[in-house]
Structure formats: C-alpha cells, structure tokens
Amino acid sequence: MSSEPDSSAPKTPESTAPGLLRSSGVVGVMTMLSRVLGLVRDMVIARYFGAGAGADAFFVAFKIPNFLRRLFAEGAFSQAFVPVLSSYRENQDISEVKRLVNAVAGSLGLVLLGVTLVAMLGSPVLTAIFAPGFFDDDVKFALTSDMLRITFPYLLLISLTAFAGGILNSYDRFAVPAFTPVLLNLAMIGAAIWLSPVMSEPVMALAWGVFIAGALQLFFQLPFLMQLGLMPRPKVDYRHEGVRRILKLMAPALFGVSVSQINLLLDTVLASFLQTGSVSWLYYSDRLSELPLGVFGIAIATVILPSLSRKHAAASADQFAATLDWAVRAVLLIGLPAALALALLAEPLIATLFHYGEVTDRDVTMSAQSLRAYSAGLLAFMLIKVLAPGFFAREDTATPVKIGVIAMVANMVFNLALIVPLAHAGLALATSLSAWLNGFLLWRGLRKEGAWQSQPGWPVFLARLLFANAALAAVILWLKAPVADWLAAGGLVRARDMAILVGSGVGVYFVALAVAGVRVRHFRQR
C-alpha cells in the first residue's frame, strides 16, 4: 500500500530523507505545472476582463469560497485529518481505517452541504461582509452576489477533493492530489475563451468555470481511492472516536494554519474601499507570489505532514526534529532567491504576464508595488507552511491558535498604519509583516518544546546561501532593462527577455551554490 517502510522500524534520518526529497520533487513538479497554467489562466483573464469592475466582482466572488477552501479544506481539515488517519494507519487494522474514512466522508459532506445551501441563499449578505466597499455600487454588488451563488458550491466539491487527497497523501500517493489543481486552471481558461463570448454578461463565464472545475477535481481522484480500497461509503457518525478527534483539532487549527489566508481576505475587504482596480492589483501580485509558495513551500509541507505524523506515532523524536530541520533548510534554499527575484523583477514579471488587452501601464506599476510588498514576506509564508505541521503532527492545536490570534491582531494594526501612506501596497506589506511575526513565534514554540532542534552545519549553510543570492542579485541587476522598455515591448520580446533573465538567474544561483560547496547529497543525508 505504501512505498515507505514501516515507520515503526528503527531508521535513521539519512534513510528517510531521500524519500522526502523525491516526494517533494514529485509534488513540486505537479504543482509547477498547475501554477504555470494558473499564470496562463490569469493572463487570459487579464486579456479578456482587465482590472475593471467585472474583474473586481469575480475576484471577490471567487476569493470567498477559495479562502474558505484554504481555511477549512486545505487548512484546518487537512492538518487535523492527516495526523488522525496516519495514527489509525499506524496502530489500527484496515477495517478501522475504512470506518474512519466512511464516518468522516458522511459527517463532513453533510456539514458542507448545509453551509453551501445557506451561503447560496445569503450571497448578498456575504458580499456585504467580505466586500463592503461594493455596497454603494449597485452594479458591482449585484454582479458579485450573482457570481457567488455559482462559485460557492466549489467549497463543497473542493473540500471533498481535499478529503480524498488527504487519504492519498497519507498513503504516499502525492502526485494525484498535486495534479488536480491543473483541472481548475484548464476549466477557467476554457470558460474565458469559449463560454464568455456566448453569455450576456461575459464575466459570469468565469464563475461557471469554477463550478465545473470543482466537479472535475473531485471525480478525478475517486478511481485512485478505489485502487487503495478506500473508496468512501459515507456514513454520518459524529460519535466516531476519530471524527471527534478531528473536530477537536479543527477548531483551533482554523487560526493556527491559515492566518496568512485570513490576512489576505482582510486585505480584500479593505481594498474594496480603495480606488477601482485595487482588488485586481492585489490579486495579480498575490498570484505571482504564490507561485514559489505553492511549488516549493506547500509541496514540502504536503510531504512532511504524513511523515511527521508517523514519526510522532512511532515516538521517533530525533527523526521528527531532523525532518523539520530538513524542511526549513529546503525552504531557505528556494525561498530566499525566489523572494529576491520577485522584488527585483516586479515590473518586468507583471508586464510579461499581464500587460495585454485591458491591462494598462498604470495597472502594471500598481501591481508591482504590491508584489514587492508580498515578496518581503514570501519566505515567512513558506516557513509557516512547514513549521505549522510540526505542531499539528503532534496534535497540538493550542499553541498555533494563540500564535494565530496574535498575528491577526498585528495584521490589522499594520493594515491601519500602512493603508493611508501606501494604499493597496500597504495592505500587502502588512500581510508580510504579520507573516514574519507568525513564523517567528511558530519557530520559537517548536524550539522551546524540543520538537525542532538545530542540526549541525547551519553557519556554513547560511554563508553559502548569502554568497549564492548575492550572485543572483548581481546578474539580475546587470541584465535587467529599464521598466519603460518592458512596457513598450511586444509580448514575444518580453517573453524572450524574461526567459533569458530567469534562465541566467537560476543558472548562476545553482552554480554559485555548487562553487560554495552545496551538494544534493547534503539534503539526502538529512
């Protein structure tokens, strides 16, 4: 059932790391495909709908269920479900695992169905709550409410998809769940190109694309559950011991793992009061910052959670600490250069990907401002993704909830302090600052509890990173053309020049790492 040896058998950190490295690579490749298609999707949306009222309305209508997806499905639920399922897999027979899967499927599905129906009926209320700045614009408010009725069932479908993905991840089948987001991007691209021309309100096609994508993502994973012999037969059973454990873990996990998503939603609420285009500028810049976060940060977090859960169940404290240390080093290796590149190439990246159709020069400039602000917190976002599982794998939800509340309060303070001088970019910077606070408190908590222990070689590793990132910055600054040239150039020229910049930067960075002494075996040995 699993390619990984029984986690109860004695093993060294060296013996488990190659599996983590390979699995992270598989998830990273699949996620890269999804993210690249996601950028293509956003380029299509930008070309067809620009950054006007219709785009603002759709981004809010999509962000609400998408936010709840990250909060519940991929956030609190996954972080609660995977450790409990891993514990059942480690300590119970297959019949008990099936009983747990059936009980969770029925209980989760019933709740989600009720929430979805209520949200569809109350879509104007949700619009008023999440985008109060639209209330004075009758057209934008009505359009958002109408699209929300179509997009909100995505929460039901994608939550069940996350449930199926959690089962597959727990059995080391990482590729299938990592591939499913590709279907969302394909569905939305198809809707924008072929469905929007035949609709009286073209932007509504995007809402239908979201709904179709949710159904495709769910049904795509079902055959793979059948192969495992874990196809759910839903049964509503809130008294099941495993369901009670999951529910107990979920409530505080809502804050502990998804604070950054709550902060992003607060940005949208405040941005709705700013000038038209602010929501779209934040969306485009957030999408770019999420590329490295999704490809590397979430990929590593996805792989280490089942591993950490099994190590905790097997009482392997040293291997638990070594796995966390490995994850933090892997995040630094990719997160630092990614953040640096986003900050240095903000305008060229936005122009290359989105400066078409309805997107103006000003839209590029404004989006670049918030992209730089998000890049300041990119490393923190990635660290949160790999540090939070260190708590949830041990079924500790009290500590992350305290940290989450502190970070949310800090984010609101930063928002109020920065929105006046920096407008939408101030909202993005506030999110980054609160993410750093969140990440620091998580790290301090893990270290204090002994769950994360520094492994040998950190000073040398950091010196090598500093050298390689300095080389990366020097190459980018040397090759980068003035912003005006990027805005004036055609799409093919921009794409060519960006490919040269990215290829040169990546090449120099990894050559510099090699010169400094970093080898792949260093990560395999961990």
Side-chain angles (χ1 to χ4, degrees), residues 27-44:
V27 176
V29 168
M30 293 297 182
T31 308
M32 173 65 82
L33 175 61
S34 170
R35 297 291 172 156
V36 169
L37 281 174
L39 290 175
V40 174
R41 176 194 81 189
D42 292 336
M43 291 169 65
V44 171

Side-chain angles (χ1 to χ4, degrees), residues 468-505:
N469 280 278
L472 170 68
V475 168
I476 289 177
L477 293 173
W478 178 47
L479 294 177
K480 187 179 70 170
V483 173
D485 293 352
W486 287 91
L487 295 175
L492 291 177
V493 173
R494 289 198 296 261
R496 180 201 66 195
D497 292 347
M498 182 55 64
I500 293 172
L501 265 174
V502 171
S504 301

Side-chain angles (χ1 to χ4, degrees), residues 17-291:
L20 293 176
L21 189 62
R22 285 195 298 268
S23 297
S24 298
V26 169
V27 176
V29 168
M30 293 297 182
T31 308
M32 173 65 82
L33 175 61
S34 170
R35 297 291 172 156
V36 169
L37 281 174
L39 290 175
V40 174
R41 176 194 81 189
D42 292 336
M43 291 169 65
V44 171
I45 292 175
R47 176 182 287 273
Y48 278 77
F49 305 105
D56 278 2
F58 168 72
F59 290 143
V60 171
F62 183 40
K63 186 177 284 274
I64 293 173
N66 204 37
F67 160 73
L68 293 174
R69 166 186 69 86
R70 292 175 176 177
L71 190 64
F72 291 100
E74 296 176 359
F77 173 73
S78 291
Q79 298 290 4
F81 173 60
V82 171
V84 173
L85 179 61
S86 296
S87 176
Y88 268 69
R89 178 190 170 190
E90 189 77 20
N91 302 310
Q92 306 286 342
D93 59 29
I94 188 63
S95 63
E96 288 301 314
V97 174
K98 290 181 177 179
R99 285 188 62 231
L100 172 66
V101 167
N102 294 339
V104 173
S107 305
L108 174 69
L110 181 63
V111 171
L112 289 171
L113 180 61
V115 170
T116 299
L117 292 175
V118 171
M120 292 174 69
L121 293 173
S123 62
V125 177
L126 285 176
T127 302
I129 292 172
F130 288 99
F134 289 3
F135 198 75
D136 294 332
D137 189 327
D138 293 340
V139 174
K140 190 184 292 188
F141 185 88
L143 187 58
T144 304
S145 300
D146 290 343
M147 284 195 286
L148 187 57
R149 292 190 184 95
I150 301 170
T151 60
F152 205 92
Y154 180 71
L155 174 64
L156 168 64
L157 297 168
I158 202 60
S159 296
L160 294 176
T161 300
F163 165 64
I167 298 173
L168 294 171
N169 286 337
S170 295
Y171 283 83
D172 300 331
R173 308 294 177 88
F174 296 108
V176 173
F179 177 79
T180 52
V182 169
L183 301 175
L184 170 66
N185 297 320
L186 292 176
M188 292 183 66
I189 290 170
I193 295 174
W194 293 296
L195 188 57
S196 65
V198 301
M199 301 196 71
S200 57
E201 183 62 62
V203 76
M204 292 289 289
L206 295 177
W208 284 109
V210 171
F211 177 82
I212 294 168
L216 291 174
Q217 288 175 298
L218 175 60
F219 288 110
F220 173 72
Q221 297 200 66
L222 298 184
F224 299 95
L225 290 181
M226 294 176 67
Q227 289 180 2
L228 283 177
L230 291 174
M231 181 69 178
R233 296 182 178 180
K235 178 182 179 181
V236 179
D237 184 4
Y238 293 103
R239 295 183 179 180
H240 188 282
E241 186 270 343
V243 173
R244 291 202 307 268
R245 283 172 62 186
I246 292 169
L247 291 175
K248 182 180 179 181
L249 292 171
M250 275 187 66
L254 293 176
F255 293 97
V257 77
S258 301
V259 169
S260 62
Q261 300 306 320
I262 295 172
N263 290 341
L264 288 173
L265 188 62
L266 292 174
D267 290 351
T268 301
V269 172
L270 294 174
S272 69
F273 290 100
L274 300 175
Q275 59 182 305
T276 295
S278 296
V279 173
S280 298
W281 298 331
L282 284 170
Y283 175 82
Y284 290 134
S285 55
D286 177 46
R287 289 293 298 160
L288 264 176
S289 67
E290 282 193 349
L291 178 60

Side-chain angles (χ1 to χ4, degrees), residues 448-468:
K448 183 178 179 181
E449 295 172 11
W452 181 79
Q453 299 172 14
S454 178
Q455 305 296 300
W458 267 99
V460 174
F461 176 68
L462 292 176
R464 289 166 172 169
L465 279 185
L466 180 62
F467 171 74

